Amino acid sequence: MRILVIGGTSGIGWALAEHYLNAGHDVAVCGRNIGKLKSEVTNKYTKLKKYALDITDKGMLISVVDDYARDTLDLVIVCAGFYFNNRHHTLDESTTLSMLQTNISGMNDTFLLCSKKMLQQKSGRLVAIASVAGLLKHYPSASLYSQTKRSVIQLCDAYRVALAPFTIAVTTIIPGYIDTEKLRELNQGDASKKPFLMREAQAVEKIVSAISNRKPIAIFPWQMRGVIFLMNLLPKWLLAIRF
Ligand SMILES: NC(=O)c1ccc[n+]([C@@H]2O[C@H](COP(=O)([O-])OP(=O)(O)OC[C@H]3O[C@@H](n4cnc5c(N)ncnc54)[C@H](OP(=O)(O)O)[C@@H]3O)[C@@H](O)[C@H]2O)c1
């Protein structure tokens, strides 16, 4: 397969890229800072291609997709996402715009461009990483992130319906906490107190299985489904209280 991972320079994206490289596939990873990938790690992968890309820059995105998808494009995974610890940061104008552009417009632009290519070849799979935060009705302390991920879930639903007649599959990945470097960094180096924290390798297994089974939606870990169900029953004022 020829696979494009947008947001593949670290965390879940790079872990997925490594999985597919180890399985013998051609993989291109993109991110603003490809220097995060150390040559001692990447040199062993002859089928790896790297692109410097800011997903919020549509011109750059078009060139990357045009270049990599010149032959075929079997699978596109959008991992690029902007999140922070809302207990320590607040949104200002520029972070608000970045979050909207990265999490919503960037994902939509990628899906639109790649689906055009996949429609020509009459095959392909599109995948986006949302978050269980997007399933919450009220998430006052991280409401913008949560709403952007809700948008990802809904955009995926729209693409799934639109592309189903052309046998192009769309999978929405809806994870709870995954123990990535970024999550640790946002939690003073230790994310172990996050509820139902999942190891990166376990998350990769779940994501790869959902993609290969052409599952429309994958929510994990399973405990999070119950948590979300219960939290959605609670009144907004109760969720607004910080303990
Ligand atoms: N970890 C969790 O607990 C968790 C839970 C639910 C959902 N998620 C979602 O999973 C995704 C990956 O999270 P992660 O924990 O693996 O974090 P991460 O390591 O920060 O991964 C984010 C990736 O996106 C890239 N990226 C960010 N902004 C970009 C932009 N404007 N243009 C291009 N690439 C961009 C980053 O690379 P550069 O810095 O090189 O640009 C990086 O490769 C995110 O969408 C996140 O919201 C994570």
Side-chain angles (χ1 to χ4, degrees), residues 58-83:
K58 204 167 172 183
M60 266 178 126
L61 188 60
I62 291 171
S63 346
V64 169
V65 172
D66 277 354
D67 187 68
Y68 190 67
R70 197 169 295 141
D71 304 322
T72 49
L73 186 59
D74 300 298
L75 170 62
V76 173
I77 309 175
V78 180
C79 292
F82 178 21
Y83 66 105

Side-chain angles (χ1 to χ4, degrees), residues 199-221:
R199 283 184 295 108
E200 212 170 64
Q202 282 178 294
V204 167
E205 227 174 86
K206 294 268 181 204
I207 296 170
V208 168
S209 153
I211 295 171
S212 65
N213 292 313
R214 297 172 88 87
K215 260 185 132 181
I217 293 175
I219 307 174
F220 56 83

Side-chain angles (χ1 to χ4, degrees), residues 5 7-21 27 29 37-38 41-42 44-45 48-50 79 200 204:
V5 184
T9 55
S10 57
I12 302 164
W14 173 245
L16 285 166
E18 276 207 296
H19 169 88
Y20 285 114
L21 285 163
V27 179
V29 292
L37 292 171
K38 298 291 165 233
V41 177
T42 57
K44 61 182 173 189
Y45 298 118
L48 171 67
K49 210 163 169 171
K50 296 179 259 181
C79 292
E200 212 170 64
V204 167

Side-chain angles (χ1 to χ4, degrees), residues 7-12 31-33 36 53-56 79-81 83 102 129-131 145 149 175-178 180 182-183:
T9 55
S10 57
I12 302 164
R32 291 160 304 174
N33 181 9
K36 284 198 304 199
L53 166 74
D54 186 335
I55 200 177
T56 67
C79 292
Y83 66 105
T102 309
I129 313 289
S131 164
Y145 174 73
K149 290 299 185 179
Y177 291 109
I178 303 170
T180 62
K182 176 75 175 180
L183 188 72

